Each structure stands twice: as structure tokens, then as C-alpha cells.
């Protein structure tokens, strides 16, 4: 199956700093990438949908100025948590799909996640 | 809005036995897709099985099969011959035909006991 990577896998930062998380589709080109947030022992909550070359679509309640998403190419999307605070500490997961030329409803492939801890 | 409900927060099963995880969903769409994902302790999301709503035949992948009841909006996962490696969180997920964003249920933590 297709592979999606995330970097870094873990990051610890001080309150007030910004953190960038990268999501890459390694062996396919994805028209769309998604960013999820997962709190301990909870489900995945969709934060935003990222389409290559256009602005991301944010879910209700997600601050677009706090969680900046850039999807510069068909294989890379980045999530920047700006002015991070302890309440932003969470597990962030990206997914990619469908591949270019594929239809909606095709399988999404998930990255391994990034654990963010804000001190 | 689409919602996905998993009513079993935790389940356990003896190794080699069969277990069924429940999932119901609510939607006004006619065309959609349903998924079961597994999240082991590594937290990597792994696709277990996928069902297209317009297909009446239940999807099967080796020891994993689903019971898809479209009228009842039910999509349960059956795991046969459970193995220790099946221990994980299992998430039911829904995707419409209009876009590719996925909505997840709250998850069921499955423990396979030796």
C-alpha cells in the first residue's frame, strides 16, 4: 500500500513558540491531505482539509490563524502550530488520498503521527 | 451532518475466538463509504476493511468481515480466529461520495487474551 510519512514523530517545545509538522506521501501524489488531532484515549477529530495549490478548509472551531496549513505540492503538506500553548499538546495525524486521477471514496493513507508536547 | 457511533468502548475476546464490533451511522447520503481502521499501540492507523454503500455484498478480508445493513445504517466488524496481534483500538469511519474527508466513531478498545 501507499506510504505516508510525518516528521517529526515527537516534538517538545516551549509555550509561545511555533512548531511545523510535515506530512509527505512517499510513493504517490495526493490531491488532498487531511490533518487530524487525537487526544489520549479519544477518536480522531478532523481539523482541516488541504488541497494542493489552494487554501485549506478548516472544520468549525479550528482556528485557522493558529493552525497554519500549507500544501505546496502533491506530496507535501505542512501544519504549523503558531504560538503554541500547553492545551495544544496532542497527537497530530495526517492522511493523504485519493491519489491523482483516483476518485472520491478511495482509501486514505495515514501517517504515523506526531506527538506534540508544549511546556 | 454525518455521525458515527461505536457503542462498545471496550471489548475482550479469547485468542482463536470470534468477536463482533458494532458501528452505526447516520446520514442522508445515498452513496458513501465505510471503513474499519485499527490503531495498535504504535498509533499507526491501519486500514482493516472498506465497504462501498452501493455494493450489497459484505466486504471480507481474510479473518475480517463486515455485516453491512444499509437500511439499519449498521456496519459491524467480525474478527474470526482472533490473534494477540489484533489487540488495538478499532475505529469505524464514514466518508461521503462528495469529498474525501473521513468521520470517525469514538473507537472500541479490543483486547485479545491468551
Amino acid at each position: 500500500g501507499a506510504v505516508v510519512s510525518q516528521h517529526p514523530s515527537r516534538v517538545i517545545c516551549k509555550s509561545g513558540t511555533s512548531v511545523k509538522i510535515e506530512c509527505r506521501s512517499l510513493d504517490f501524489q495526493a490531491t488532498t491531505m487531511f490533518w487530524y488531532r487525537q487526544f489520549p484515549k479519544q477518536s480522531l477529530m478532523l481539523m482541516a482539509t488541504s488541497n494542493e495549490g489552494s487554501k485549506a478548509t478548516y472544520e468549525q472551531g479550528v482556528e485557522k490563524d493558529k493552525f497554519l496549513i500549507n500544501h505546496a505540492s502533491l506530496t507535501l503538506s505542512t501544519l504549523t502550530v503558531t504560538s503554541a500553548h500547553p492545551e495544544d499538546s496532542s497527537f497530530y495525524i495526517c492522511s493523504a488520498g485519493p491519489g491523482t486521477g483516483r476518485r472520491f471514496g478511495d482509501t486514505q493513507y495515514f501517517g504515523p503521527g506526531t506527538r506534540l508536547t508544549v511546556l | 451532518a454525518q455521525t458515527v457511533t461505536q457503542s462498545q468502548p471496550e471489548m475482550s475476546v479469547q485468542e482463536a475466538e470470534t468477536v463482533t464490533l458494532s458501528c452505526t451511522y447516520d446520514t442522508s447520503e445515498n452513496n458513501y463509504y465505510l471503513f474499519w481502521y485499527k490503531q495498535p499501540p504504535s498509533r499507526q492507523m491501519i486500514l482493516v476493511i472498506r465497504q462501498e454503500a452501493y455494493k450489497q455484498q459484505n466486504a471480507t478480508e481474510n479473518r475480517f468481515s463486515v455485516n453491512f445493513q444499509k437500511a439499519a445504517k449498521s456496519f459491524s466488524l467480525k474478527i474470526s480466529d482472533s490473534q494477540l496481534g489484533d489487540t488495538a483500538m478499532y475505529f469505524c469511519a464514514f466518508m461521503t461520495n462528495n469529498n474525501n474527508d473521513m468521520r470517525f466513531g469514538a473507537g472500541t478498545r479490543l483486547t485479545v487474551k491468551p
Side-chain angles (χ1 to χ4, degrees):
Chain A
V3 179
V4 175
S5 70
Q6 275 184 248
H7 179 79
S9 58
R10 286 177 178 265
V11 57
I12 301 173
C13 69
K14 292 182 179 179
S15 185
T17 61
S18 295
V19 175
K20 180 185 285 188
I21 302 169
E22 292 186 348
C23 176
R24 293 182 184 273
S25 55
L26 297 185
D27 51 2
F28 71 105
Q29 293 182 324
T31 52
T32 309
M33 291 184 174
F34 302 87
W35 288 96
Y36 296 86
R37 185 172 181 176
Q38 186 179 31
F39 289 106
K41 298 185 179 181
Q42 293 190 24
S43 187
L44 282 72
M45 299 298 297
L46 180 66
M47 297 175 66
T49 302
S50 168
N51 289 296
E52 184 265 340
S54 62
K55 289 184 178 181
T57 302
Y58 290 81
E59 294 297 301
Q60 191 173 7
V62 177
E63 299 176 59
K64 59 182 66 177
D65 294 331
K66 176 133 188 93
F67 299 100
L68 300 179
I69 292 172
N70 182 273
H71 194 157
S73 76
L74 288 170
T75 59
L76 174 64
S77 176
T78 60
L79 168 68
T80 301
V81 183
T82 62
S83 186
H85 290 282
E87 57 265 29
D88 298 325
S89 298
S90 189
F91 193 67
Y92 293 87
I93 304 175
C94 74
S95 70
T100 52
R102 305 294 290 272
R103 59 185 172 84
F104 288 127
D106 203 0
T107 302
Q108 284 187 32
Y109 299 95
F110 286 81
T114 297
R115 182 179 301 282
L116 170 64
T117 302
V118 184
L119 303 176
Chain B
Q2 290 83 19
T3 58
V4 181
T5 301
Q6 292 179 250
S7 58
Q8 305 154 314
E10 292 189 20
M11 291 194 73
S12 64
V13 63
Q14 289 296 131
E15 193 175 9
E17 298 292 310
T18 295
V19 64
T20 299
L21 308 184
S22 301
C23 174
T24 59
Y25 58 93
D26 189 23
T27 183
S28 58
E29 302 282 341
N30 192 46
N31 293 322
Y32 49 88
Y33 305 86
L34 295 161
F35 304 81
W36 278 98
Y37 277 88
K38 168 184 177 181
Q39 189 180 42
S42 68
R43 303 192 77 170
Q44 171 72 59
M45 295 289 283
I46 301 167
L47 177 66
V48 175
I49 202 163
R50 173 178 177 271
Q51 175 81 42
E52 301 177 23
Y54 64 86
K55 289 187 177 179
Q56 292 186 341
Q57 187 172 6
N58 290 325
T60 300
E61 287 289 339
N62 300 315
R63 298 183 295 107
F64 300 89
S65 62
V66 298
N67 183 4
F68 174 47
Q69 301 289 327
K70 190 173 183 179
K73 296 181 181 174
S74 171
F75 183 61
S76 61
L77 173 70
K78 185 171 83 171
I79 305 174
S80 304
D81 186 25
S82 298
Q83 301 176 359
L84 297 178
D86 295 333
T87 293
M89 281 289 289
Y90 285 81
F91 292 101
C92 178
F94 175 99
M95 179 194 292
T96 70
N97 196 39
N98 298 322
N99 55 47
N100 230 49
D101 67 67
M102 200 171 277
R103 307 292 167 166
F104 288 87
T108 296
R109 182 174 301 279
L110 176 67
T111 302
V112 180
K113 297 179 178 179

